[in-house]
Amino acid sequence: MKKIIFFVNVSIFIFIFSSAAMSQNPDRTTPPKLPDPNPLQLPQIQHFKLSNGLKVILMEKHEVPLVQLNVVVKTGTVNDPEDKTGLANITLDMMDEGAGGKSSLEIADAIDFLGAEISTKSGQYYSEVDLHTPLSKFDEALKIMGDIILHPDFPENELKRKKKERLTIITQWHDNPSSIAGIAFNKYLYGNHPYGRIYLGDEKSINSFSTDDLKKFYNEYFKSNNAFVVAVGDIKKDDLKTKLENLLGKWQSGNVKDVSVAEPEQVKKRIIYLIDKPGSAQSVIYIGRIGAKRLTPDYNSIIVMNTILGGSFTSRLNDNLREQHGYTYGARSRFSFGPVPGNFIAYASVQTEVTDKALNEFFKELNRIREPIPEEEINRAKNLVALSYPSDFQSVSNIANQLENMMEYNLPSDYFDSYITQVLNLKDNEVNAAAEKYILPDKMIAVVVGDKTKIEDGLKALNLGEIKNLSIEDVLGKVPVVED
């Protein structure tokens, strides 16, 4: 009897609640109001050095028994010799393909057995060896990582495989419009500047790589005074220091030549690079110019301005080209920052038959962002940036990446905690000034990859500027010969 009464009461409650909810008329004419962003409060960032001077930065996170450990070395693609482009990339890629007398398969099996992950990668200025591991397997995983960092073998048979792999990738690029557009954009934007190089190298440089080249590059840059360590996770400072001292305390320092990278030359006029891809079902559009360096005082203003222009799903570019016109699945824009200015780029893949219309709409939005931006739109963008910022710290690997950025650019220790406040305190005129300073549509290059026979006339009719016709081979060279 009690069960029946309980069932009836619950049913009545549900009926009353549902009726009340249905009687309300929610306002769907405007988006729901975003909550006020909360300040970000992270655990203390700790710094210490090993006996050999190796710098370590640690953030303890004890909620989950995981550890992220990144060993970062100041070397990357900007350090590639001119006749050996791709050397940094292949050197890092080879470091875990044989180390400490273990083969690549033995290393991979040992890491998998521990449930850990070790990866190597190179960027423009920094390269790294990263470890993600359960705390219970940290000591064993750390030994494997130590061999990779201190005792890479660079076996000849693995180098042959990696060279063939790279040549195969370049072959595939010849049939990928997005790859063609991305490589062409950097090539014609930067010219002979290091930023314009293909990170993998080309057929000639790849075929020239020898194990001696890799060993020389490694020995030149992998020094303790040219590196730092980032650690995040469930480990105490004293414990970590002891473990790292035992592993890396004897890592030798040395004289490392500092490579000076000049600022790239800015675009002076608008040029359209039309790259013929016969039979292409769509056209890939990349538009841009030289942007800003990471430590510019305009950094926060640029981030908010670009959020409005093309940095979010609700941005102007995406609303125009996707939502209003249906030309594309998505149109975006971004700034790449570095010690010297990186690029600004707006991009999309569009239907072939509307290539000219899409390019015209791109330039409409690039011009419109230079007009005074409504206060409401700026406030919405600031809130979006502030509310999404904590997602950059949702995992130990995410946090490690942010700490790397702090070390690389010598950011203040309170940078992360104060960032949201800095963004929310931006003035409207600062955001507008960023648009006027960095978005200059008449001084941009545009790379269009598509079927020339179908899109050239439409592009000419736009009268946007000089059109340079190119082939895929002009961008990538001939298709590489990949031997079995």
Side-chain angles (χ1 to χ4, degrees):
M1 186 67 181
K2 289 181 180 179
K3 290 182 180 179
I4 295 173
I5 293 173
F6 177 76
F7 177 79
V8 171
N9 287 341
V10 170
S11 300
I12 293 172
F13 172 78
I14 292 174
F15 174 77
I16 294 172
F17 180 81
S18 300
S19 299
M22 292 176 64
S23 65
Q24 297 176 357
N25 294 316
D27 180 8
R28 302 185 186 279
T29 60
T30 58
K33 186 178 183 302
L34 291 173
D36 293 331
N38 292 319
L40 185 65
Q41 294 181 333
L42 295 171
Q44 178 186 2
I45 299 173
Q46 304 177 67
H47 299 258
F48 62 90
K49 292 182 180 180
L50 303 186
S51 59
N52 60 356
L54 181 62
K55 298 177 182 178
V56 182
I57 182 170
L58 166 67
M59 181 181 289
E60 295 183 21
K61 293 278 291 181
H62 299 289
E63 294 84 357
V64 181
L66 293 172
V67 177
Q68 180 76 33
L69 187 78
N70 298 355
V71 177
V72 185
V73 180
K74 189 180 180 182
T75 186
T77 57
V78 297
N79 299 90
D80 286 343
E82 288 189 14
D83 61 340
K84 297 281 185 180
T85 56
L87 183 57
N89 181 273
I90 199 167
T91 299
L92 267 292
D93 198 12
M94 279 285 294
M95 287 183 65
D96 60 351
E97 297 296 335
K102 296 184 179 66
S103 70
S104 59
L105 289 177
E106 288 173 329
I107 292 173
D109 285 345
I111 295 169
D112 288 345
F113 179 77
L114 298 175
E117 296 176 10
I118 295 181
S119 60
T120 62
K121 61 183 178 182
S122 64
Q124 286 183 323
Y125 291 89
Y126 291 89
S127 300
E128 57 192 89
V129 181
D130 300 344
L131 168 64
H132 183 82
T133 179
L135 177 63
S136 60
K137 304 298 181 182
F138 183 53
D139 290 352
E140 296 167 85
L142 198 58
K143 292 177 183 177
I144 301 172
M145 185 186 197
D147 280 337
I148 292 171
I149 296 169
L150 302 178
H151 309 294
D153 293 330
F154 301 116
E156 180 68 37
N157 63 318
E158 296 293 348
L159 177 58
K160 290 180 179 179
R161 181 175 63 84
K162 289 293 183 181
K163 289 165 69 170
K164 180 179 178 181
E165 184 181 273
R166 278 160 171 70
L167 294 175
T168 301
I169 291 172
I170 294 175
T171 299
Q172 294 169 342
W173 282 349
H174 279 74
D175 197 41
N176 187 316
S178 294
S179 297
I180 297 166
I183 292 168
F185 180 79
N186 285 333
K187 180 175 182 177
Y188 299 115
L189 178 65
Y190 291 113
N192 293 324
H193 191 274
Y195 283 12
R197 298 172 183 169
I198 300 176
Y199 71 97
L200 284 185
D202 54 29
E203 182 179 13
K204 182 179 178 180
S205 66
I206 291 170
N207 282 327
S208 74
F209 293 147
S210 67
T211 54
D212 287 341
D213 291 327
L214 275 61
K215 291 174 182 177
K216 180 181 178 182
F217 188 91
Y218 168 84
N219 289 327
E220 188 171 354
Y221 295 107
F222 273 71
K223 306 293 184 182
S224 61
N225 58 317
N226 196 44
F228 63 88
V229 178
V230 170
V232 181
D234 190 15
I235 190 166
K236 295 285 189 179
K237 174 183 173 181
D238 292 342
D239 190 19
L240 177 65
K241 187 173 184 179
T242 299
K243 294 178 188 298
L244 291 181
E245 186 67 48
N246 291 334
L247 184 77
L248 301 175
K250 295 182 179 180
W251 189 5
Q252 296 296 308
S253 62
N255 294 322
V256 180
K257 183 180 178 181
D258 192 20
V259 175
S260 178
V261 179
E263 291 201 6
E265 186 177 346
Q266 185 56 273
V267 177
K268 293 181 172 61
K269 64 177 182 177
R270 188 157 58 203
I271 300 176
I272 313 297
Y273 294 91
L274 173 55
I275 302 167
D276 188 21
K277 181 72 170 65
S280 180
Q282 61 181 8
S283 298
V284 179
I285 298 173
Y286 277 38
I287 306 168
R289 68 194 310 269
I290 306 300
K293 63 179 65 176
R294 174 59 181 84
L295 293 180
T296 175
D298 302 325
Y299 179 79
N300 293 341
S301 301
I302 291 171
I303 295 297
V304 172
M305 180 272 294
N306 186 63
T307 299
I308 297 168
L309 175 61
S312 67
F313 186 80
T314 57
S315 69
R316 291 182 176 186
L317 283 173
N318 201 56
D319 181 68
N320 182 327
L321 279 89
R322 174 192 162 104
E323 302 299 328
Q324 294 182 32
H325 290 100
Y327 294 158
T328 178
Y329 284 117
R332 304 298 287 263
S333 66
R334 68 171 184 265
F335 281 79
S336 297
F337 300 95
V340 301
N343 61 43
F344 160 75
I345 180 171
Y347 57 99
S349 296
V350 304
Q351 303 166 51
T352 295
E353 61 271 19
V354 297
T355 301
D356 53 344
K357 295 182 177 66
L359 189 62
N360 192 51
E361 293 303 321
F362 261 113
F363 278 105
K364 279 185 179 179
E365 293 299 343
L366 291 171
N367 280 295
R368 190 165 74 93
I369 195 68
R370 292 172 50 81
E371 301 170 1
I373 304 170
E375 179 183 0
E376 180 183 356
E377 197 171 6
I378 292 177
N379 287 336
R380 188 166 63 245
K382 290 194 297 186
N383 278 315
L384 179 57
V385 172
L387 287 167
S388 62
Y389 188 63
S391 67
D392 293 339
F393 301 85
Q394 63 185 353
S395 69
V396 290
S397 58
N398 289 152
I399 297 171
N401 290 335
Q402 294 298 322
L403 293 179
E404 282 183 30
N405 192 262
M406 169 179 279
M407 292 289 285
E408 290 167 4
Y409 293 103
N410 195 29
L411 301 176
S413 58
D414 66 343
Y415 179 82
F416 303 130
D417 289 339
S418 63
Y419 181 77
I420 290 176
T421 300
Q422 291 177 24
V423 168
L424 295 177
N425 287 339
L426 282 172
K427 306 299 183 184
D428 289 5
N429 64 306
E430 294 175 302
V431 178
N432 283 298
E436 293 180 13
K437 182 176 180 180
Y438 295 101
I439 309 299
L440 279 72
D442 292 337
K443 296 180 180 179
M444 290 185 177
I445 69 166
V447 171
V448 182
V449 180
D451 191 329
K452 176 183 172 181
T453 61
K454 297 180 179 179
I455 64 178
E456 183 180 23
D457 290 344
L459 295 180
K460 287 181 177 179
L462 292 176
N463 197 29
L464 291 172
E466 178 186 2
I467 296 178
K468 293 188 176 183
N469 286 286
L470 301 166
S471 68
I472 295 172
E473 287 190 0
D474 290 329
V475 178
L476 296 174
K478 294 183 178 180
V479 176
V481 175
V482 184
E483 298 180 358
D484 293 331

